[in-house]
Amino acid sequence: MRGRRKEKKMTDKIIDILKASDADGFEITDTTTMAYEFYFIKHRLDQNRVRDVEHINVKVYKKLDDGKMLGSASGEIYPTLTDEEIKEEINKLISRAENVKNPFYELNKPEDYEVSKSEDVDVSQIAENFVKAMKELPETDTEYINSYEIFAEKNKRRFINSEGIDISFEYPSSMVEVVVNARDSEHEIELYRMYKAGSCDSENLKKDIAEVLRYGKDKLIAKPTPKLGKAAVVFPTSDAVQIYSWFVEKCNAGFIYSKYSDWEIGKEVAPRAKGDKVTLKSVKYLPNSSKNFDVDDEGAVIRDMTVLDKNVPTTFFGGRRFRYYLGIKDSYLACNFDVEGGSKTSEEIRSGKYLEIVEFSDFAVDSISGDIAGEIRLGYYHDGEKVTPVSGGSISGCMTDFVNEMYMSKEKRQYDNFNIPALTRLENVSVTGVE
C-alpha cells in the first residue's frame, strides 16, 4: 500500500504557480498570527476571543519597454483558494503590473545574516502579564480605569522572492488601549492611551498609566493656557516620537529621490545649530519592540547602522526601488530607531520658564514641511516660581527652525520601536493661549 502524499503548503503552491506564470519577478510574505484578545469594563472581563489567521501577500513584477521599465502590483492570496483561483489572481496582478511603469531596478538578493536568538513566544503568558499589570494600578475613587482592551500576538513570518531569498522568523507584538476617568464633584473627564510593544513590560506600563491617572486629576483643575507668544515647550510623552519621526523621514531614500528632503550625506542639516544635535541609529533589535525583524518587508537583511551622526546624515534607508536609484548599498527599510541622549539632565531641561505639554487633542509634525501643530488638552506652565496646570490653546512652528536650538535629556524612554530622550525641549515655539 502506498503512503499518502503530503499536501503542499499553500505558500509553496503559490511559488510554483508564480514560477510558471508570465511574471518576471515576485515577492511573497506569509504571516501567521495567533492572537489573544480581552475586553474589560473597569476590571470585569466583558468578552475575549482567540484569533488564528494567515495572510499571504504577493507582489509581482513585470519587465516593460525592453527591460528599461519595471511594473509591479500586489494583493492578498487567500489560503482557501484553489490552484485555478490562485492562477486567476496572479494573472490579474500581472495585468495590473503592466500598467505601472517605473525605471528598472533589481530586487533584493540573498545575503548572509545572523538569525535572531529570540525566546519562544508564549502568547497566553503575554496576555496574562498584561491582565496582572492592569490590576496593580494605583487607582482611587476619583481617578480610575474606565475600560481597557488587550491584544497579544505571536507572529510567524516567511518571506520569499524570485531571487532566492527564503527566510522565516517569529516575533511577538501587543497592544493595550486604556480609557482613564477622573472626576470631582462637578465634572468627569476621560483620557485615552494606546500602548504598543513586543510583549508586556509591566513596570513601564504601570508607570505610564499612573502618570495618566495624575494627568486626569490635574486636568480637572487646569486653568486657561496663557498667551505666551514665543516660549520654550517640553515634550515628556510619546508625542515626542513625532518630532524624531521627522528626522527619520528626512533620511528616507524615497523622500530623497522625490525631492521631499534636501538632506545630503556628509552635509550637516543645521549648520547654525547651537543646541543638542541628533544622533539617530537604526537597530535590528530593541528590547520589547514589536518590530524586531531579521529582514525588512522586501527581504533586505536588517543590521545596526548610524543614520544621523550629530545632525550629519551618514546613509539613507528605505525601500529597494529608491535605494537602487540612489546607489545606496547595505541598507534596508528601517524598523527600530534609537536616538542618543542629549547633553542635559531632566532638571536642566525643566528649568526657567517653559510650558510642558502632556496631553494634546491632536499633535502632528508634517514630514515634508516640518510644520508642527497641536491643540493643548493639558500642560504645565512653569513661570519660574510656580507650576500651573493649563488647558486650551495650541502650539505651532516648524522643525526646520527648531532643529537650530533643541535640547534633549540624557535620560531616555522607549515607545515601542522608538528609544528616544525622555524629555525634548524646543525653543521659541508659538503658543496661542485662551486667556
Side-chain angles (χ1 to χ4, degrees):
M1 181 176 178
R2 290 183 179 180
R4 183 179 297 174
R5 288 182 61 188
K6 187 177 180 181
E7 188 176 350
K8 270 194 172 182
K9 290 184 177 180
M10 184 64 169
T11 306
D12 294 319
K13 284 185 183 180
I14 294 172
I15 292 171
D16 288 345
I17 293 170
L18 280 164
K19 286 180 176 179
S21 74
D22 290 333
D24 293 311
F26 64 82
E27 294 173 342
I28 304 171
T29 303
D30 182 356
T31 305
T32 302
T33 301
M34 166 65 76
Y36 284 23
E37 300 177 3
F38 297 87
Y39 303 83
F40 288 85
I41 297 175
K42 293 190 175 180
H43 291 289
R44 178 179 62 80
L45 181 63
D46 183 57
Q47 58 179 302
N48 66 287
R49 66 173 182 168
V50 177
R51 284 189 295 115
D52 189 356
V53 296
E54 181 179 17
H55 292 285
I56 304 173
N57 291 292
V58 173
K59 189 170 187 177
V60 301
Y61 295 88
K62 189 68 179 174
K63 293 179 182 178
L64 307 168
D65 296 352
D66 297 324
K68 295 177 182 177
M69 309 297 283
L70 188 67
S72 64
S74 58
E76 183 168 355
I77 303 292
Y78 298 105
T80 54
L81 298 186
T82 64
D83 288 6
E84 287 304 313
E85 288 171 329
I86 295 170
K87 289 177 184 177
E88 184 179 345
E89 290 301 313
I90 287 173
N91 286 333
K92 287 180 184 177
L93 290 177
I94 293 171
S95 179
R96 283 169 47 198
E98 291 173 341
N99 295 314
V100 179
K101 290 188 177 183
N102 291 306
F104 177 80
Y105 59 98
E106 296 178 354
L107 304 188
N108 288 311
K109 293 178 169 52
E111 297 179 66
D112 292 332
Y113 75 103
E114 185 176 340
V115 179
S116 296
K117 297 178 181 178
S118 57
E119 298 178 6
D120 290 337
V121 178
D122 186 340
V123 67
S124 62
Q125 186 62 54
I126 292 173
E128 184 179 326
N129 291 343
F130 274 116
V131 173
K132 182 180 178 183
M134 294 299 296
K135 290 180 178 178
E136 295 174 351
L137 297 170
E139 298 175 78
T140 68
D141 290 338
T142 54
E143 296 88 44
Y144 53 91
I145 302 300
N146 173 299
S147 57
Y148 58 97
E149 300 177 3
I150 296 171
F151 305 86
E153 295 183 351
K154 172 182 179 177
N155 302 282
K156 293 182 178 180
R157 181 181 294 180
R158 182 185 177 193
F159 178 88
I160 312 102
N161 78 357
S162 51
E163 297 295 322
I165 297 175
D166 190 345
I167 293 176
S168 299
F169 58 95
E170 185 175 298
Y171 60 96
S173 63
S174 58
M175 181 176 70
V176 178
E177 293 183 279
V178 184
V179 176
V180 169
N181 276 36
R183 61 182 173 85
D184 57 20
S185 58
E186 298 180 357
H187 304 94
E188 184 166 7
I189 59 140
E190 290 183 349
L191 297 179
Y192 168 83
R193 284 291 188 276
M194 179 173 66
Y195 302 94
K196 291 183 178 180
S199 56
C200 178
D201 183 345
S202 297
E203 292 309 309
N204 277 323
L205 179 67
K206 289 187 287 187
K207 177 184 175 182
D208 286 355
I209 298 178
E211 287 179 350
V212 180
L213 290 167
R214 177 171 61 84
Y215 296 157
K217 181 179 180 180
D218 290 342
K219 177 70 173 66
L220 292 167
I221 60 172
K223 305 294 183 184
T225 302
K227 296 177 181 178
L228 300 177
K230 300 284 188 179
V233 174
V234 173
F235 298 81
T237 67
S238 61
D239 290 307
V241 170
Q242 300 285 341
I243 293 171
Y244 295 102
S245 292
W246 178 76
F247 290 90
V248 168
E249 291 298 341
K250 284 291 184 178
C251 293
N252 187 306
F255 268 51
I256 301 296
Y257 183 79
S258 303
K259 309 297 184 185
Y260 295 144
S261 172
D262 59 0
W263 289 9
E264 299 176 25
I265 292 174
K267 184 178 179 180
E268 190 163 352
V269 303
R272 297 182 289 112
K274 61 179 181 179
D276 287 338
K277 298 181 178 182
V278 173
T279 294
L280 168 72
K281 296 179 180 179
S282 169
V283 295
K284 178 178 180 178
Y285 178 80
L286 198 58
N288 211 38
S289 166
S290 64
K291 297 186 177 182
N292 287 331
F293 307 146
D294 287 334
V295 298
D296 70 9
D297 289 345
E298 299 173 334
V301 172
I302 295 176
R303 56 177 68 83
D304 293 354
M305 68 180 181
T306 299
V307 180
L308 268 177
D309 185 5
K310 299 188 183 303
N311 283 357
V312 178
T314 57
T315 188
F316 296 131
F317 69 90
R320 175 60 178 169
R321 175 186 159 202
F322 295 113
R323 289 190 289 107
Y324 184 86
Y325 295 162
L326 295 173
I328 298 169
K329 301 183 183 300
D330 300 323
S331 190
Y332 49 83
L333 280 161
C335 301
N336 292 322
F337 300 97
D338 186 50
V339 179
E340 197 172 277
S343 64
K344 307 288 186 181
T345 63
S346 294
E347 291 75 18
E348 289 171 327
I349 293 284
R350 291 185 169 118
S351 63
K353 294 183 179 181
Y354 64 97
L355 176 64
E356 182 170 350
I357 304 176
V358 299
E359 192 81 18
F360 287 96
S361 297
D362 182 47
F363 178 72
V365 180
D366 189 282
S367 55
I368 297 175
S369 68
D371 291 339
I372 75 168
E375 296 181 359
I376 304 166
R377 194 172 184 198
L378 176 65
Y380 296 92
Y381 177 51
H382 300 246
D383 65 6
E385 295 181 0
K386 64 181 186 296
V387 181
T388 306
V390 297
S391 182
S394 62
I395 65 168
S396 61
C398 188
M399 283 303 303
T400 55
D401 297 321
F402 298 141
V403 71
N404 289 309
E405 188 176 7
M406 61 181 286
Y407 298 96
M408 303 175 291
S409 65
K410 296 177 181 178
E411 301 86 352
K412 295 175 70 173
R413 189 167 182 173
Q414 185 176 335
Y415 301 99
D416 191 17
N417 61 318
F418 275 80
N419 189 27
I420 63 175
L423 299 176
T424 302
R425 176 169 172 151
L426 303 182
E427 301 291 336
N428 298 311
V429 180
S430 295
V431 181
T432 303
V434 292
E435 191 177 72

